[in-house]
Amino acid sequence: MRKVLLTGATGFLGQAIQRKFLEKSEIELHLTSKSKGVDLRNREQTFDLFAQVRPTHVLNCAAFVGGIQYGYKYPGEIFHNNLIMTVNLMEACREFKIQRLVNPISNCAYPARATLFKEEEFWDGPLHESVLTYGFVRKASWVGAWAYQKQYGLDVMTLILSNMFGPGDHFQPERSHALGALIQKFVEAKKNHSPFVDVWGTGKPVREWLYVEDGAEAMVRGLDLAPHVDPINIGVGQGISILDLAQFISEQVGYLGEIRLDLSKPDGAPYKTVDGSKGYQLLGWRPQTRFKDAIRKTIESYISTQENTV
């Protein structure tokens, strides 16, 4: 029987992956996270965990990350925390002869000038400043995957995922990405009868979003994919501008006020969509959830959560 260790198990993606395993009796799932008492930044704690669990496979969802504001505010912590977690995790996987590590990286690891992200263009230019630190350390995790495969034969499946959203996401402006922050803003604006909602930047940047349940499905499918050392995109190649996204969320929330663009705030990279054709060829699957349906579910979940906490 496979013994799968899920790191970052109490986080947004980790919880979605747990739901995927509810009907998989042939897999023994072990959960770990910092809140459960194991800090992957600590080498001793990491190795003790592997020695105790003796996993055969690892799904890595541990990360220190937030939205664009978070990236500008904590670049040093993002660099240190993510890099040291990656090093400790790969060393433990090597030492304990893990059969496969499935490791997601964000599509912000792609060059800033890229529009439709393709795997063969992964190294074709510098990263955008707004995601420089996080994009770099996630890119470094693929370099580690390549290096450990070359020297030690470690099997690492690297999946490139777009920014995820869905029920259970962060909705605070600093921690969330644009979609979650917009949901929080419009729901609060309606509740408080605010005359306007500020949207960061020009509203022109285009983003592709990934529903968390689809991200979790990709991770689980990564356990059975034939060995493949190069990164694999998960996506559909379709995006939406921040302004169009704000207008749709506003309509779904039922907010009747004004949408104002705050040009003092940064836009981030101008365009992020993902060519998922290689992923579809290898996995025989692509993200299935209709984008607008997923936004509606996310809004409903957020409103329900807010009502239950009052």
Side-chain angles (χ1 to χ4, degrees):
M1 178 182 287
R2 282 179 176 175
K3 296 176 68 175
V4 177
L5 176 64
L6 175 60
T7 67
T10 57
F12 181 41
L13 178 57
Q15 291 183 58
I17 289 175
Q18 287 188 56
R19 293 191 288 271
K20 295 291 179 184
F21 279 107
L22 289 178
E23 298 178 359
K24 294 183 179 292
S25 59
E26 73 280 8
I27 290 177
E28 183 180 318
L29 184 63
H30 295 264
L31 310 178
T32 188
S33 68
K34 186 171 180 288
S35 64
K36 284 182 172 290
V38 177
D39 188 343
L40 294 180
R41 296 171 299 181
N42 184 299
R43 179 186 173 95
E44 183 177 356
Q45 289 184 24
T46 303
F47 273 63
D48 285 348
L49 171 69
F50 273 70
Q52 178 183 348
V53 174
R54 295 285 172 174
T56 59
H57 297 70
V58 176
L59 293 173
N60 179 37
C61 298
F64 184 87
V65 64
I68 187 171
Q69 184 179 355
Y70 201 76
Y72 276 121
K73 191 173 182 179
Y74 303 108
E77 291 180 57
I78 288 172
F79 178 83
H80 175 267
N81 290 332
N82 287 291
L83 203 57
I84 199 166
M85 280 192 288
T86 295
V87 170
N88 287 340
L89 186 62
M90 288 194 174
E91 272 291 280
C93 286
R94 174 192 66 80
E95 177 71 20
F96 290 89
K97 298 180 171 53
I98 299 304
Q99 294 177 27
R100 167 159 294 174
L101 164 64
V102 182
N103 187 51
I105 66 176
S106 170
N107 67 7
C108 68
Y110 271 101
R113 66 176 183 81
T115 54
L116 179 63
F117 296 165
K118 299 180 179 182
E119 291 93 344
E120 61 269 25
E121 298 174 358
F122 192 59
W123 294 98
D124 288 358
L127 308 183
H128 194 275
E129 182 192 52
S130 63
V131 292
L132 176 60
T133 307
Y134 188 69
F136 172 79
V137 292
R138 301 317 295 162
K139 206 173 189 107
S141 74
W142 177 79
V143 175
W146 178 89
Y148 274 64
Q149 190 276 332
K150 288 291 183 184
Q151 185 168 352
Y152 308 116
L154 180 64
D155 183 350
V156 182
M157 186 63 57
T158 301
L159 302 181
I160 300 181
L161 307 180
S162 298
N163 288 339
M164 282 176 282
F165 72 101
D169 194 1
H170 289 289
F171 290 97
Q172 302 83 3
E174 186 175 272
R175 287 300 308 275
S176 67
H177 295 290
L179 194 154
L182 288 172
I183 289 175
Q184 187 266 343
K185 282 184 176 183
F186 282 108
V187 170
E188 293 303 310
K190 180 184 178 182
K191 182 174 70 174
N192 297 325
H193 307 288
S194 302
F196 61 86
V197 168
D198 281 333
V199 174
W200 275 31
T202 65
K204 294 179 180 179
V206 172
R207 297 288 183 268
E208 178 170 338
W209 301 90
L210 181 65
Y211 191 49
V212 67
E213 299 296 333
D214 287 328
E217 180 68 21
M219 291 286 290
V220 173
R221 285 174 178 259
L223 290 170
D224 296 310
L225 192 61
H228 193 89
V229 69
D230 294 322
I232 301 170
N233 286 340
I234 304 297
V236 296
Q238 296 178 358
I240 184 172
S241 74
I242 297 299
L243 181 56
D244 286 345
L245 176 63
Q247 290 170 339
F248 181 74
I249 292 173
S250 176
E251 292 169 5
Q252 296 305 306
V253 169
Y255 174 71
L256 301 177
E258 178 188 1
I259 297 175
R260 300 198 318 191
L261 298 174
D262 184 353
L263 300 181
S264 70
K265 296 295 192 295
D267 269 343
Y271 208 94
K272 291 182 182 181
T273 59
V274 175
D275 180 356
S277 55
K278 178 181 175 182
Y280 178 61
Q281 179 184 5
L282 293 173
L283 290 169
W285 172 90
R286 60 166 58 99
Q288 300 293 304
T289 312
R290 286 169 51 89
F291 179 60
K292 291 186 176 180
D293 290 343
I295 291 181
R296 292 187 186 100
K297 292 179 184 178
T298 306
I299 293 172
E300 291 170 2
S301 174
Y302 176 73
I303 292 174
S304 175
T305 300
Q306 294 302 300
E307 290 174 347
N308 290 334
T309 56
V310 173

